[in-house]
Structures are given as C-alpha cells and as structure tokens.
Amino acid sequence: LITNKQNIVLSATNADCILLLFFDPVKKVIANVHSGWRGTLKRISVKAVEKMVKEFGCREQDIICCMCPSIRKCHFEVDKDVKDMFEQEYKNTQGINLEEIIEEKIKDKKWNIDTILINRIILKNAGLKEENIVDSGLCSVCHSDEIHSYRAEKEGYGLNTALICGRG
C-alpha cells in the first residue's frame, strides 16, 4: 500500500512475516508493505521503493524504512526447497553472503534464513541510506509473550498490526 494522501492510514497485519513501513519526509509519501518469505524472494520491498520513486517522485536517499517485529533467523527454519529458492535468487546479489544469510542445521536437514538482513541489503542496493533503515530488532517467536507469532502460537494465533499515517 502506498499513498501521498494526507490523513490516510495504511494498515497491514502479520504473525511472523516482515511488515515494512516506508516514509519519504520530503514528498510526504508513505507505504506499508507485507513481506513474508515469498515477498522477500520477489523483492517486494524494492518494488515498493521503485513505485515510490516512479509514481510519486521520491528519491531513494530520502526514504526511511522501519522494519517491524517479525520472525528472525534464529527461528525462521525452512526445508531444502525454500533454501534452494533463496540461494538461486540471491546468489549474485551485491552485498549478499549466502553463508551469512543461510545457516544449515546439519542434524535436522533444515536451514535458518535471515530475511531481515536480506531486506536490509537489497534496500541499501536500491539506494536507501543505511541509517534510514531502522530495525525493531525483535523476533516474533522469541517475544511471543508480547508479539503474536504463528510459529509459536499455531492454531488460534493472533495478528499484529502496523499502521502508518501521512499528515500535512
């Protein structure tokens, strides 16, 4: 969701996926983006920035991105098929070290993936300043007593909501 309209609230929900709040203080443009692992594979965060630039005249270096609480590498465990998709998508991406973003859990034949770091790197590659990418640093699973997490709660899980509003 992206808008430059004032007094409009953009809302998105999650239960482990990354919610990204974007704000351009110069052009007064806001965005609220839901990026699960599939969205991260499709680089939805970068597509949102590209749309802010193309449709609203934003400059990448002016955009601020806030990464809300979400599942982190410590708990984002995947099977080989998902691991392989991430390796294929990001093997030639500037700044991506596959050994840093994908950690093998040898005894389980599972892998942990750092989708937060991936989004940070691809947003920097898209032109956002490092200091304009703000991470909450909270894992939804580690903090499931405070933040809803599908992986921690399973059936009957709740949802978190991220809101952003443009004001004149």
Side-chain angles (χ1 to χ4, degrees):
L1 304 169
I2 303 172
T3 189
N4 62 354
K5 293 187 173 25
Q6 302 305 305
N7 301 313
I8 297 290
V9 177
L10 302 182
S11 172
T13 59
N14 76 337
D16 281 326
C17 299
I18 305 168
L19 297 180
L20 302 155
L21 302 176
F22 292 92
F23 173 56
D24 179 340
V26 177
K27 296 290 186 175
K28 307 289 191 233
V29 175
I30 58 171
N32 194 331
V33 177
H34 178 279
S35 183
W37 68 266
R38 288 178 183 89
T40 298
L41 272 175
K42 294 180 180 177
R43 302 175 187 239
I44 193 168
S45 60
V46 172
K47 290 178 181 173
V49 169
E50 290 169 348
K51 190 168 188 167
M52 290 174 76
V53 169
K54 182 178 179 185
E55 294 186 20
F56 297 95
C58 298
R59 295 181 332 147
E60 295 88 343
Q61 62 267 30
D62 295 332
I63 298 171
I64 299 165
C65 175
C66 296
M67 298 177 164
C68 297
S70 63
I71 197 165
R72 303 297 164 126
K73 184 179 181 181
C74 55
H75 285 99
F76 184 51
E77 185 179 276
V78 301
D79 291 318
K80 186 178 185 314
D81 61 332
V82 174
K83 183 266 304 182
D84 289 347
M85 287 187 266
F86 275 90
E87 284 181 341
Q88 184 63 35
E89 178 62 30
Y90 291 107
K91 67 183 177 188
N92 296 319
T93 301
Q94 177 186 348
I96 297 269
N97 174 349
L98 290 177
E99 292 171 2
E100 185 178 10
I101 64 165
I102 301 172
E103 180 181 318
E104 185 174 4
K105 297 173 74 175
I106 296 169
K107 66 177 183 162
D108 299 332
K109 295 273 187 196
K110 301 274 185 181
W111 291 263
N112 285 54
I113 298 179
D114 193 338
T115 54
I116 290 290
L117 181 57
I118 292 169
N119 276 286
R120 177 179 288 286
I121 292 168
I122 63 176
L123 285 169
K124 268 182 56 181
N125 290 349
L128 272 69
K129 294 179 184 174
E130 177 78 35
E131 63 267 23
N132 284 352
I133 303 170
V134 182
D135 180 8
S136 70
L138 295 175
C139 174
S140 53
V141 178
C142 291
H143 294 271
S144 61
D145 58 328
E146 305 166 90
I147 302 163
H148 291 294
S149 166
Y150 172 77
R151 290 199 183 203
E153 297 173 41
K154 306 291 184 217
E155 282 188 41
Y157 68 94
L159 294 172
N160 308 298
T161 304
L163 305 169
I164 187 168
C165 181
R167 306 240 350 199

